[in-house]
Amino acid sequence: MQQQPTKGSSRDQFVSKVGFIFAAAGSAIGLGNIWRFPYLAGKNGGGAFVLFYLICVIVLGFGLMLAEFVIGRHTQLSSVDAFKKLDKRFTFVGGMGVLAAFIIMGYYPVVGGWSVAYIFKTILGQLSTDAAIMGDVFGSLVTGILSPIFWTAIYMLANIVIVAKGISSGIEKASKVMIPTLLGLLAILVIRSLTLPGSIEGLKYLFLPDFSKITGEVMMAALGQAFFSLSLGMGCMITYSSYLSKKENLVQNATIVPVLDTAIALLAGVVIIPATVSFGFDLGQGPGLVFVTVPAIFATMGPVLGRVFGIIFFLLLTLAALTSSLSLLEVVVSYLIDNKNWERKKAVGFSSVILFLICIAASLSMGVWSDFHLLGMNIFDFLDWLANNILLPLGGMFITLFVGWFWGKDKVKAEVTNGGEINFSLFNVWIFLCRWVIPIIIGLVLLSGIGII
Ligand code: TRP
């Protein structure tokens, strides 16, 4: 985007096609790929989870991303207004998306803060291949009181400054550098990880499905992860594509972004899971996995090289997280600007104060408040579960139902083919996915995930 996407008479557009791909991929690629995917794969039985995740990305991810792109580019509006214009009955879908963004931003900056903290821990050389030492380093950070809140505040501040200035011109540029560098660094780490003794067992764990591990909960986790990682189901991609020119090929964009995102997630998995197995760390440890295993990989590279790579890694992780959380905060802020007529600065100030308070609660729930449970989960896990496993899939279900049944096939076709200029031979397959396959899969997975079927 050339300029900030605030309301205005002439709508800014992305300078180039590559610019949009990088901005959308910048939103998609984040903690979801490097922090959340590997730990979920580790916790949920490896190969079976990964297989179901890939099915979700291919069938739902592509179809829903295209649906969001079509709505955004057609209306040139952000998600709440887009639905208001197209069909008032679906406005609540936009509202649900704002709520989901709000909930995710109630804990995402906590993890962003851990990532910032690890830049400094790496500088100080807190690297070791000993599980107990690395577990302590992580444990004492996240169960602390002031220190994780301090790092969260630093991370939040970076978001606030960028979004208050009106986002975007920076996102496109930052992503263009970040994504290729991240791919390169992960490729180097893959080699290091796979040459560790015994790491091949980890690779098998990650890719050989053990179908006895598939349960309703595992499927729900994989589905939620697909939505989270691709930034789908809450109108984020509707808003981004509203800045896309009428000449762009939406189908191509909706293919490239998921491919890039999935490549990064799989690479992160191939770095982290085999190394975890090689070091004999606990695969099912949950949110600490990347912060425990990756520094241990750097410890094997020697004090100097390990530190240099470590600093680059956590810097990139922070940057990747930042380009994602900006897109989330922007959803909340632009809702307040467009629907409550607030000034941008007021919207940013108000929402970030409330979000920061929720983040404090989420952070404390890893330590002193860990006994406080909602539906059997601490606050952090509850927010994560509610947004990713419930709200995003429901949002995705309504978005595809809208495109499949309510919008009108001819109008959808005109938009997706740029008025007939682009040949999209799978159009009918895609509409079928939107009408039946995607909503039904989501419905079944949700029902089995919460234990009804
Ligand atoms: N996809 C991002 C990640 O992987 C997180 C994110 C950014 C997101 N925008 C979103 C998730 C919109 C859901 C919806 O870290």
Side-chain angles (χ1 to χ4, degrees), residues 116-138:
V116 182
Y118 266 80
I119 300 175
F120 293 92
K121 289 188 183 299
T122 312
I123 295 175
L124 296 175
Q126 297 187 356
L127 309 172
S128 162
T129 53
D130 183 321
I133 296 178
M134 288 323 298
D136 269 356
V137 172
F138 180 72

Side-chain angles (χ1 to χ4, degrees), residues 395-408:
M397 184 189 233
F398 288 118
I399 292 170
T400 44
L401 284 175
F402 171 70
V403 169
W405 295 102
F406 294 92
W407 193 359

Side-chain angles (χ1 to χ4, degrees), residues 102-120:
F102 197 80
I103 295 175
I104 298 176
M105 277 306 279
Y107 72 92
Y108 201 97
V110 175
V111 186
W114 298 345
S115 179
V116 182
Y118 266 80
I119 300 175
F120 293 92

Side-chain angles (χ1 to χ4, degrees), residues 27-28 30-33 104 108 228-229 231 234 236 324 327-328 392:
S27 162
L31 296 171
N33 309 58
I104 298 176
Y108 201 97
F228 181 73
S229 190
S231 301
M234 53 153 280
C236 187
S324 300
S327 74
L328 288 160
L392 298 182

